[in-house]
Amino acid sequence: MPPSIDVFAKVRGHEREQLLRAAREADVLPYFHVLSTPAMPVVEMEGAQRIMLGSNNYLGLTGDERVMHGAEDALHRYGTGLTGSRLLNGTIPLHLELEREIAEWIDTEDALVFTTGHQANIGTLGTILAPGDTVIADSGDHASIFDGCVLSRAKLRPFRHNRLDKLEKMLERAHTDGGGVLVVVDGVFSMEGDMAPLREICDLCERHGARLMVDEAHGAGVLGHRGAGAAELLGVEDRVDLRMGTFSKSLASCGGFIAGPAEVIDYLRIYSRPFLFTASAVPAALGAALAALRVVRSPEGEPLLRLVLDNAWRLRDGLAELGFAVVAPQRLPADRGHGYTAEPDDANRATAPGVRHDATGTPMIVTPIVPVLVGDDWKAALLWKALYDGGVFVNTALHPAVPPGGALLRTSVMATHDEATIDRALDVFARVKREFESEHGPLPGPDAF
């Protein structure tokens, strides 16, 4: 009889154990810190006030009275939980209202609400794709996309982040795979903070007969006049087949959705196992998401989009002036027209929130995600700790969340940050950088990103 192998053996002596122990002993572990107040521009975390530059609460709606009342009303009407799946006893009128209004907002035929954003991706990709199909994914895509690809057992062909030449090679190779082909990209990438070049990706998909799905988790509620995401801003909504989004960012709640053709959504409704066999979201989450969506779609929505993107510019430009390696503003196609204009002085033409023009008149944009490249994992943890002690909380991304040698601090802003708070944070960054470099050597410069 073969010797028994303990399945728990892998938890002892794994490759990250030594690093984790060292980080804990040095008190520089950047994860699992305890927040004791709502996710506002300034929070209390572990006994101190800290400027929050690590939240996805882009529009600041988690503290909005209308959103909290939406959650409260749903709680009192439907209770604390629905105790069943959407298929059985877990669908309530809030689901149907939310799905209808999402479809109107995203400008698709139908939408389907999932309990989490992760579930929306695995539930869509694991159902639409099958063995024999091919899925082509950007290497920077969210982990839930790759989880869905694995679940589907389709052939996965990843390509280097935002490299259109690599995408085209994968599309050419997929011709011999024999099944259907789906390209999946983030609209806004959660770590890099940049957008996918969706117009060019649409061109390639159409040329090669592939379908396209865009994850708008970090674009919906941020980009475009309606806040409908990168596809809206870049004018390709009618060329994208499926659009996914979450409630845990701009919509101030928890959950996810997929929007697209009615026949596809109906298929997912009855075949998606993660959808069918997961308990429905708690009513308070649905009520909050619906209330937040109505704020975004109201006349107050576009001013909120402008505020968050103005704050993103202020933080990005301030960090660049201090000599940090930060993401560059992204050029937008200047041929009209889909949410922005190439004529900055034409007061008669609307410009999308956040779009600015350089000296040549080229439209540019930054997203609320402003990554700071550090490079070395250990230096990133030490720099995070110095900022934390200085009263600024940011996120830390280490390998494998980023490529080896690509460790970064992920900063992000909200519409509810005021200029004085951002400037205070920049003052902390400036002081920390001087002290850090005097002890640990120079950080990557502005051109390193």
Side-chain angles (χ1 to χ4, degrees):
M1 196 170 178
S4 171
I5 297 175
D6 182 5
V7 296
F8 288 176
K10 64 178 69 68
V11 309
R12 297 180 289 272
H14 58 83
E15 61 181 13
R16 297 185 199 172
E17 184 180 34
Q18 186 175 355
L19 183 62
L20 187 63
R21 185 185 304 112
R24 282 177 173 152
E25 290 173 355
D27 193 26
V28 295
L29 187 67
Y31 307 119
F32 299 106
H33 288 269
V34 180
L35 181 70
S36 53
T37 57
M40 307 299 281
V42 179
V43 300
E44 184 173 315
M45 186 177 282
E46 298 178 334
Q49 296 268 302
R50 307 185 199 275
I51 297 171
M52 173 53 77
L53 292 182
S55 172
N56 296 325
N57 183 22
Y58 298 131
L59 300 185
L61 292 177
T62 58
D64 187 281
E65 289 292 333
R66 293 161 294 184
V67 177
M68 291 193 290
H69 285 154
E72 186 179 5
D73 290 347
L75 171 66
H76 287 297
R77 184 172 180 184
Y78 298 104
T80 59
L82 296 171
T83 73
S85 70
R86 289 283 310 275
L87 176 72
L88 300 176
N89 61 301
T91 295
I92 58 176
L94 285 176
H95 284 107
L96 307 182
E97 291 179 60
L98 190 51
E99 287 168 346
R100 176 179 57 78
E101 295 195 25
I102 287 169
E104 291 172 356
W105 175 47
I106 297 294
D107 194 21
T108 57
E109 290 181 356
D110 204 354
L112 186 62
V113 165
F114 290 78
T115 303
T116 70
H118 187 282
Q119 184 201 24
N121 268 334
I122 65 170
T124 298
L125 293 165
T127 306
I128 293 297
L129 295 165
D133 292 330
T134 297
V135 56
I136 301 174
D138 188 296
S139 62
D141 282 351
H142 191 266
S144 59
I145 289 175
F146 288 101
D147 290 346
C149 295
V150 170
L151 180 65
S152 74
R153 293 183 292 153
K155 184 178 184 66
L156 173 61
R157 291 189 177 275
F159 66 95
R160 198 177 306 166
H161 176 54
N162 270 352
R163 285 283 299 273
L164 293 168
D165 58 330
K166 303 296 184 182
L167 169 58
E168 186 162 26
K169 280 188 178 179
M170 294 300 104
L171 284 163
E172 289 169 353
R173 291 175 183 173
H175 288 174
T176 61
D177 290 344
V181 180
L182 177 70
V183 174
V184 191
V185 296
D186 286 3
V188 173
F189 289 88
S190 60
M191 290 296 146
E192 295 82 358
D194 55 353
M195 291 190 304
L198 290 181
R199 289 193 182 186
E200 294 83 354
I201 291 173
C202 286
D203 291 342
L204 287 170
C205 287
E206 289 163 6
R207 191 180 310 152
H208 291 273
R211 296 286 189 178
L212 175 61
M213 174 176 161
V214 176
D215 180 331
E216 292 278 20
H218 295 273
V222 173
L223 299 177
H225 283 291
R226 307 193 319 273
E232 182 204 346
L233 178 67
L234 296 174
V236 295
E237 293 183 277
D238 58 340
R239 302 173 68 191
V240 175
D241 297 292
L242 290 172
R243 292 157 75 188
M244 176 269 182
T246 62
F247 305 147
S248 55
K249 280 75 176 176
S250 291
L251 296 187
S253 182
C254 186
F257 67 85
I258 191 75
E263 63 177 2
V264 176
I265 301 303
D266 222 27
Y267 181 83
L268 292 171
R269 206 172 265 125
I270 57 174
Y271 278 102
S272 174
R273 290 175 63 85
F275 174 77
L276 294 171
F277 297 104
T278 298
S280 179
V282 298
L286 298 168
L290 183 57
L293 177 58
R294 287 172 175 170
V295 173
V296 174
R297 299 184 70 203
S298 77
E300 296 176 50
E302 190 166 329
L304 281 174
L305 304 178
R306 293 188 185 280
L307 281 171
V308 68
L309 294 173
D310 285 349
N311 285 341
W313 278 101
R314 189 176 191 87
L315 179 62
R316 195 223 75 88
D317 290 349
L319 290 170
E321 288 172 9
L322 293 174
F324 286 98
V326 292
V327 64
Q330 195 160 354
R331 291 171 176 264
L332 297 173
D335 60 352
R336 148 52 182 151
H338 298 283
Y340 56 86
T341 173
E343 294 80 28
D345 298 323
D346 186 353
N348 295 319
R349 296 186 66 191
T351 56
V355 175
R356 299 185 179 182
H357 297 78
D358 65 12
T360 68
T362 302
M364 315 282 285
I365 199 164
V366 297
T367 74
I369 301 166
V370 183
V372 178
L373 180 65
V374 180
D376 178 77
D377 283 0
W378 193 252
K379 278 189 174 183
L382 292 171
L383 186 59
W384 169 86
K385 175 63 172 174
L387 290 166
Y388 188 76
D389 289 345
V392 175
F393 181 83
V394 300
N395 297 128
T396 308
L398 311 175
H399 179 70
V402 291
L408 56 83
L409 302 183
R410 180 193 185 273
T411 73
S412 54
V413 293
M414 311 176 204
T416 44
H417 277 112
D418 57 30
E419 292 182 357
T421 301
I422 292 175
D423 290 345
R424 286 206 319 275
L426 289 169
D427 288 343
V428 174
F429 268 94
R431 176 178 56 78
V432 164
K433 185 174 189 288
R434 287 193 302 271
E435 296 171 357
F436 185 90
E437 290 186 327
S438 68
E439 183 175 354
H440 301 287
L443 292 165
D447 297 330
F449 206 94

